[in-house]
């Protein structure tokens, strides 16, 4: 890839006036992060309404579809039309017959849980699904983590102006930042990145994905489904996310602010 992709197509954040709660009651203006409702439908079936940051919507829908098990490969999306209506965003997605059948089966399971005594079973199976284990990926070299936090800060365009933004980044095997996607939601940021990796046909098993958030179970599940080899979080992971990363061969590291990177998966047997 000849050029690094750090761009985001969302509009500039709008400034809002504020007044300090102090004796002086000073006033000022500050740019605040934007968010909008995104309604996603598959083959005319309404599926979800998400609150997302404007921009990179196609990347988000593609990544969301993969990381939530609706599709297995990008080619199972035959068409996607994104439009706006009354300040909200609409994404009409056309799935392949196989993906549509999978989606309908999933929806049928959830619909059947509303009135039965063991209704939690199907829901739990979807919250804690069986995934395909990854082929173990090589661990990143220690020198790739030097000054990584400052490099991430430098490419977070939206966070610099408004704050309140999470980022998901893809670094190649040499440690160069190739992709950065930002959103008000940490899950959304990762979905946008996964979608960008798919659309640009980059292999997420090499290099590493870095999240500016903590490592939670859902993020590990999304990473495994997207075949990410190495996941790095800037805040600590949860115990369950470490257990799942070890179970599915995902390299999981935490990069603390003031100390060396901490490798949680694979487990150190020494």
């Amino acid at each position: 890839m000849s050029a690094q992709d750090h761009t985001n197509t969302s509009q500039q954040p709008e400034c809002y006036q504020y007044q300090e709660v102090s004796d002086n009651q000073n006033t000022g203006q500050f740019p605040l992060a934007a968010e909008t409702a995104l309604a996603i439908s598959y083959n005319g079936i309404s599926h979800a309404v998400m609150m997302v940051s404007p921009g990179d919507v196609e990347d988000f829908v593609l990544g969301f579809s993969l990381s939530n098990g609706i599709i297995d490969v990008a080619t199972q999306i035959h068409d996607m039309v994104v439009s706006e209506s009354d300040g909200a965003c609409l994404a009409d997605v056309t799935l392949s017959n196989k993906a549509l059948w999978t989606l309908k089966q999933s929806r049928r399971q959830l619909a059947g849980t509303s009135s039965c005594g063991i209704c939690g079973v199907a829901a739990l199976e979807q919250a804690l699904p069986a995934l395909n284990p990854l082929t173990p990926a090589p661990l990143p070299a220690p020198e790739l983590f030097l000054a990584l936090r400052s490099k991430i800060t430098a490419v977070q365009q939206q966070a610099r102006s408004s704050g309140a933004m999470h980022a998901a980044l893809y670094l190649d095997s040499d440690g160069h930042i190739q992709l950065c996607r930002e959103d008000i939601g940490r899950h959304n940021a990762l979905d946008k990145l996964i979608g960008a990796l798919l659309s640009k046909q980059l292999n997420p098993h090499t290099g590493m994905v870095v999240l500016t958030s903590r490592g939670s179970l859902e993020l590990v599940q999304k990473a495994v489904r997207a075949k990410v080899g190495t996941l790095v979080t800037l805040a600590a992971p949860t115990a369950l996310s470490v257990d799942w990363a070890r179970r599915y061969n995902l390299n999981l590291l935490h990069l603390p602010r003031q100390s060396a990177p901490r490798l949680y998966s694979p487990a150190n047997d020494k």
Side-chain angles (χ1 to χ4, degrees):
M1 192 163 99
S2 59
Q4 294 174 331
D5 178 4
H6 301 155
T7 61
N8 194 294
T9 57
S10 63
Q11 61 190 13
Q12 291 298 314
E14 183 178 354
C15 288
Y16 283 76
Q17 188 169 356
Y18 65 85
Q19 178 178 307
E20 292 181 349
V21 182
S22 65
D23 292 336
N24 296 327
Q25 295 187 341
N26 295 326
T27 62
Q29 288 189 335
F30 190 80
L32 299 180
E35 61 179 329
T36 188
L38 169 63
I40 304 174
S41 65
Y42 295 101
N43 295 56
I45 302 170
S46 296
H47 181 74
V49 177
M50 314 285 293
M51 297 305 299
V52 303
S53 297
D56 301 312
V57 172
E58 291 85 356
D59 285 345
F60 171 75
V61 175
L62 181 55
F64 174 87
S65 301
L66 181 78
S67 68
N68 284 275
I70 296 167
I71 62 172
D72 297 319
V73 292
T75 53
Q76 288 180 324
I77 289 183
H78 289 175
D79 190 29
M80 184 192 309
V81 177
V82 177
S83 59
E84 292 187 13
S85 176
D86 297 327
C89 193
L90 311 174
D92 294 314
V93 183
T94 303
L95 296 176
S96 69
N97 290 336
K98 178 182 177 182
L100 180 61
W101 184 88
T102 300
L103 175 63
K104 287 182 175 179
Q105 291 299 111
S106 173
R107 291 170 63 88
R108 194 169 292 127
Q109 268 192 310
L110 288 178
T113 65
S114 60
S115 61
C116 63
I118 55 171
C119 63
V121 174
L124 280 174
E125 287 176 353
Q126 293 206 339
L128 303 172
L131 304 175
N132 294 321
L134 299 169
T135 301
L139 291 171
E143 57 266 22
L144 298 186
F145 295 97
L146 297 176
L148 180 55
R149 279 182 172 269
S150 60
K151 293 177 184 176
I152 292 170
T153 301
V155 300
Q156 280 191 263
Q157 298 176 7
Q158 294 187 67
R160 283 204 305 272
S161 60
S162 64
M165 300 291 286
H166 292 287
L169 307 97
Y170 171 70
L171 285 72
D172 63 24
S173 55
D174 294 322
H176 300 133
I177 297 175
Q178 298 293 334
L179 293 169
C180 176
R181 292 294 183 266
E182 299 181 75
D183 199 277
I184 54 170
R186 55 200 174 93
H187 300 83
N188 297 349
L190 179 54
D191 281 336
K192 286 182 177 181
L193 181 70
I194 291 171
L197 287 165
L198 286 171
S199 64
K200 296 179 183 299
Q201 297 183 338
L202 295 174
N203 182 6
H205 196 65
T206 61
M208 57 183 171
V209 168
V210 181
L211 306 178
T212 58
S213 65
R214 66 182 173 86
S216 64
L217 174 62
E218 306 98 305
L219 296 175
V220 166
Q221 291 173 339
K222 288 177 183 288
V224 172
R225 277 188 166 130
K227 296 181 172 57
V228 171
T230 299
L231 183 65
V232 181
T233 62
L234 299 194
T238 65
L240 188 57
S241 68
V242 171
D243 291 340
W244 275 59
R246 292 176 177 178
R247 182 184 307 173
Y248 291 104
N249 300 326
L250 173 68
N251 296 336
L252 181 61
L253 298 97
H254 169 216
L255 181 61
R257 187 174 295 276
Q258 300 294 340
S259 57
R262 299 172 180 174
L263 176 66
Y264 285 98
S265 174
N268 189 343
D269 296 327
K270 294 181 180 179

